[in-house]
Amino acid sequence: MLWADAKKARRIKTNMWKHNIKFHQLSYREMEHLRQFRRDVTKCLFLGILSIPPFANYLVFLLMYLFPRQLLIQHFWTPKQQIDFLDIYHALRKQSHPEILCYLEKVIPLISDSGLRWHMTELCTKMQRGTHPAIHDILALRECFSNHPLGMNQLHALQMKALSRAMLLTPYLPPVLLRYRLKTHTTVIHQLDKALAKLGIGQLTAQEVKSACYLRGLNSTHIAEERCRTWLGEWLQLSCSLKEAELSLLLHNVVLLSINYIGTRR
């Protein structure tokens, strides 16, 4: 399966080079394949480096057996491990959710516009009460996330660390690299969203829908397919309404749209 993925990724890259196609111009499935394959290759390269010293390959096999979640890609997980490991990863990113909501509450006094300040207060109150926010409630705050105080370039180091954990990215980097990784990761998701909106959610298989939801912050392993499709539709409605300068709002939606969704495991 990994070899087949490598050959498909090579075909896509070759076609991009021949026809001068950029990543964002690919179809949804091609973009998603390249995104996932890059992540898989990163893990494989790490194992390859560990195997370089003489006889180290024996140690690598032991480490793969002891730490399959950290060292092996999903192709090598059993069906039970896939569910268990995805639950573990989601539990890790959920730990950052209260911290992210706390930062949103802290910036309320920094919002100069009284209307936006009221909307942010209402949103935070709803989130604390366990209410799933409506799309128009979130979009009403897009100005706050395009510049001060919550624009991508205005986020503080601690905020970026919390958001990195929510995106399953390492938080142990300098602020400059944290901001770059968050921007890059969010831009890729935004490009995937536009391609998916063009394709149509109805064209996705059940597994593709659940994978798309999980990438965007929802623990879809325990949610019915129809609820996942509904949630993904809400996400696309919001994402496709945003401009590049408002991607900080898309980044925060990993928490805002998933934390109180019906059916989500607590």
Side-chain angles (χ1 to χ4, degrees):
M1 291 171 67
L2 179 61
W3 180 247
D5 281 353
K7 291 196 294 184
K8 183 177 179 180
R10 184 180 178 182
R11 286 198 301 269
I12 295 171
K13 295 292 286 184
T14 301
N15 189 54
M16 291 173 66
W17 179 77
K18 283 184 177 179
H19 299 94
N20 194 28
I21 299 174
K22 304 297 182 183
F23 178 79
H24 67 275
Q25 296 173 313
L26 295 171
S27 69
Y28 171 76
R29 288 192 172 96
E30 289 175 332
M31 292 170 67
E32 176 59 23
H33 185 85
L34 287 184
R35 185 199 67 80
Q36 185 59 50
F37 183 70
R38 287 168 184 167
R39 293 176 65 87
D40 292 343
V41 166
T42 302
K43 275 193 175 182
C44 292
L45 286 176
F46 177 71
L47 285 177
I49 293 172
L50 288 180
S51 304
I52 290 176
F55 306 107
N57 54 318
Y58 297 107
L59 175 62
V60 169
F61 283 125
L62 177 63
L63 291 175
M64 287 191 294
Y65 178 77
L66 295 175
F67 306 103
R69 177 173 63 88
Q70 293 88 342
L71 297 179
L72 295 180
I73 61 177
Q74 294 189 31
H75 290 321
F76 299 102
W77 295 351
T78 65
K80 183 179 184 303
Q81 283 178 328
Q82 289 188 18
I83 295 175
D84 292 343
F85 293 168
L86 290 178
D87 280 343
I88 291 172
Y89 279 127
H90 186 70
L92 291 173
R93 63 184 178 186
K94 269 184 68 176
Q95 293 175 5
S96 66
H97 290 182
E99 188 177 352
I100 293 170
L101 291 179
C102 181
Y103 283 127
L104 291 180
E105 290 179 331
K106 287 181 178 178
V107 302
I108 291 175
L110 303 177
I111 301 174
S112 57
D113 186 276
S114 59
L116 292 175
R117 194 162 56 245
W118 181 85
H119 277 296
M120 181 65 81
T121 304
E122 283 293 297
L123 179 63
C124 290
T125 302
K126 286 182 179 180
M127 301 300 296
Q128 295 293 351
R129 290 176 179 171
T131 303
H132 182 65
I135 299 301
H136 61 81
D137 290 333
I138 299 176
L139 286 176
L141 293 164
R142 60 200 301 170
E143 186 178 335
C144 297
F145 291 87
S146 60
N147 41 53
H148 184 78
L150 292 167
M152 194 72 81
N153 293 324
Q154 281 74 41
L155 297 176
H156 299 297
L158 292 178
Q159 287 176 284
M160 291 189 291
K161 287 180 182 293
L163 289 165
S164 294
R165 291 195 297 272
M167 299 290 279
L168 294 178
L169 300 173
T170 178
Y172 307 109
L173 292 172
V176 174
L177 292 180
L178 285 176
R179 197 183 312 278
Y180 172 79
R181 290 201 74 191
L182 286 172
K183 279 184 178 180
T184 303
H185 199 72
T186 309
T187 299
V188 169
I189 291 178
H190 195 223
Q191 292 170 344
L192 281 167
D193 290 342
K194 290 181 178 179
L196 179 54
K198 186 177 180 181
L199 174 66
I201 298 176
Q203 300 299 314
L204 299 184
T205 64
Q207 184 55 48
E208 286 175 328
V209 169
K210 286 183 173 278
S211 296
C213 290
Y214 193 90
L215 172 66
R216 291 157 178 81
L218 185 71
N219 188 13
S220 52
T221 54
H222 304 281
I223 300 178
E225 179 190 342
E226 285 308 309
R227 287 197 182 277
C228 288
R229 290 184 184 274
T230 300
W231 185 89
L232 189 56
E234 291 183 8
W235 175 284
L236 290 184
Q237 180 186 346
L238 194 147
S239 177
C240 294
S241 302
L242 299 178
K243 301 174 183 177
E244 187 176 347
E246 300 166 333
L247 288 186
S248 178
L249 179 54
L250 187 65
L251 177 59
H252 282 80
N253 275 326
V254 171
V255 177
L256 297 177
L257 277 185
S258 67
I259 191 171
N260 294 326
Y261 188 64
I262 299 173
T264 302
R265 294 182 76 190
R266 298 289 178 178

